[in-house]
Amino acid sequence: MNLELNPLLADTAHPPFSDIAPEHIRPAIEHLVQQCREVVDATAKVEQHTWATLVTPLEEADDKLNKAWAPVSHMNAVVNSDALRETHDSCLPLLSDYGTYVGQHEGLYQAYKAYAESAEFKQLSAAQQRVITETLKDFRLSGVALPAEKKKRYGEIQSRLSDLSSLFSNQLLDATHAWHCHITDEQRLSGLPESARIAAANAAKERGVEGWVFTLDIPSYLPVMMYADDSALREEMYRAFVTRASELGPNAGEFDNTKIIEETLALRQELAELLEFENYAELSLANKMAESPAQVMSFLNDLAERSVPQAQRERAELEAFAQSLGHKELAAWDIAYFSEKLKQEAYEVSDEMLRPYFPEHSVIEGLFTVTEKLFGVSFTERDDVDVWHKDARYFDVLDENKQVIAGFYLDLYARGKKRGGAWMADHAVRRRTQQGIQKPIAYLTCNFNSPQGDQPALFTHDEVVTLFHEFGHGLHHMLTQMDIASISGINGVPWDAVELPSQFLENWCWEEEALAFISKHHESGEALPEALLEKMLAARNFQSAMQMVRQLEFSLFDMAIHMDKAARAPGQVQAILNKVREKVAVVIPPEFNRFQHSFGHIFAGGYAAGYYSYKWAEVLSADAFSRFEEEGIFNQETGRAFLDAILSAGGSQDIVELFRKFRGRDPEIGALLRHSGIQTA
């Protein structure tokens, strides 16, 4: 294939998505990886380095590779196909081997060591010095000091872990889309809101069948669990959902992730021992804020101690309520249904009552207004940028002088062949080049309901919060002022602090002053009525302790399996999860529940021995927001202070120092407990 015509090698600001075909991918990645290796070798041979001869060439080579791989990785997640998946997965060993090659390159390591001891190093800025010292730490964690045989084994493990991560994700995606529930009896739809019925009818039409079709995508699954009066329908959906990618359920064994989980844990433990850590949790924390697994466990157990009693009271209240309606025992598929009924009775509010007030256009405009008021940036949609699907959009980010400083793609709706969940990923990072500043570009992806007929997409308030969360990540990436790739945006930020900006931005979804322009009825244009707003705010912390202990369950489970060397043994993962549940869960799922088989965060994402990061960073984000509560939620000086201290700084300084710069003190847990509705006596 002629590489000159390969769209992944085109020197363009935006990927030419329409031109990218599976056959372009491997030749482009092979070519760029080879180029990168040559640059690494040449750089290592230079005798006396300057910043320009050591850091710059490596950054430029990696940037080209990253900008070719980013659209491939993104398309694999949002417009998956067999051919795309096959070639994407075939490149993973190439990328993993290259990462190991760099991390274990003795010549390059020695070059960095020598540079760190040179006279020029002392003249560098604090941010540049941090880049060098952090790179040296990465070398050590990549096994650069290992003997040859162990280095080889390290590379083999990393390559296999990369394969397993992709396999886990692929099987979860396939399992999710392999099952659907087809209904022809309208009586079975009793209780379901109109929006869910319309979406199910459209799903049936797409499949060429009569009636209604429900899938395991969240926008289809959740309304059934919350509103369907038919207990048998809820049970059928629940069983299919919680047994995805396991040895049980309607597709039992077909996409089973059991062996992948066990092999992943075994290899992670072996990797940790190679690098002389006691367990993988210790290795994971080597680059995080938290100092040790014991500190993390203490943090999580402390939160559990504060939350479990309240969660037990909330569970008892739910059981009493269900019994008052003649329902003696709560099954797992009854929890969301009766919780929603209790919430409606207690607060006279529901997601469906709020949905008409959150049409897509108003929510996006409101999000932009909040951001502009806080940080002085604005947004313009463009129609001349190529996208991968008709529903995807592209926006420029403009500074106060109306100069374009960044851009992002937005892909909001759930669909077949698209990975579930919501995330931010980067296409390009801000960095200084010979031509000037490279603008950062982000991908922002969600899985919400799409427009139905003539009606715009109407979001639940939870979905609005999710959008703000991902946009917070996007702002961290796009508003950075760092010019070095490795500390630009979220790069170089410890994983347990990376959720700070995302969780921080969620707060505006609950503020009356912000909701005035985030919400607007899709037909009348009226703002969210005061009475409904008050009910929504009153219901904010409904069952908040139950939600807290559920997150703690996930976090404790994640830490436990990565601290226990025996977790790799058959059946042990389930046994460990059961133990964690005995300690903190107030809702014990049925024996057939296989939650771990779809826990992509830790088996196919970056959260292994790091899921606690959500709660850890929430301490930071809640405390940061409390300054806005004190000084005004749209106080421009406070907004600019957050921009300067946190968003602009990327990974240039220790996050605790950045937090102190903004808050004037160390973080405190009180704001998290208050925002989470956890009563502290």
Side-chain angles (χ1 to χ4, degrees), residues 27 66 128 153 198 229 235 313 317 391 428 476 488 546 571:
N66 291 339
Q128 287 176 309
R153 181 57 186 152
I198 292 169
D229 295 329
E235 180 180 356
R313 291 194 296 272
E317 180 188 21
D391 293 335
H476 202 183
S488 178
M546 284 175 68

Side-chain angles (χ1 to χ4, degrees), residues 497-560:
V498 87
E499 297 295 335
L500 194 174
S502 53
Q503 292 173 332
F504 165 82
L505 202 64
E506 291 179 20
N507 289 288
W508 275 264
C509 301
W510 297 99
E511 292 295 326
E512 183 173 358
E513 202 179 333
L515 284 163
F517 39 79
I518 296 171
S519 65
K520 195 175 286 183
H521 195 282
H522 74 101
E523 289 175 341
S524 67
E526 69 170 316
L528 194 63
E530 187 74 27
L532 198 51
L533 171 64
E534 285 176 8
K535 289 170 182 174
M536 184 185 96
L537 295 176
R540 177 179 182 178
N541 288 323
F542 174 67
Q543 293 184 343
S544 58
M546 284 175 68
Q547 291 166 24
M548 172 72 86
V549 297
R550 185 161 163 73
Q551 287 299 307
L552 294 175
E553 175 190 321
F554 300 162
S555 300
L556 287 164
F557 165 67
D558 170 40
M559 288 302 292

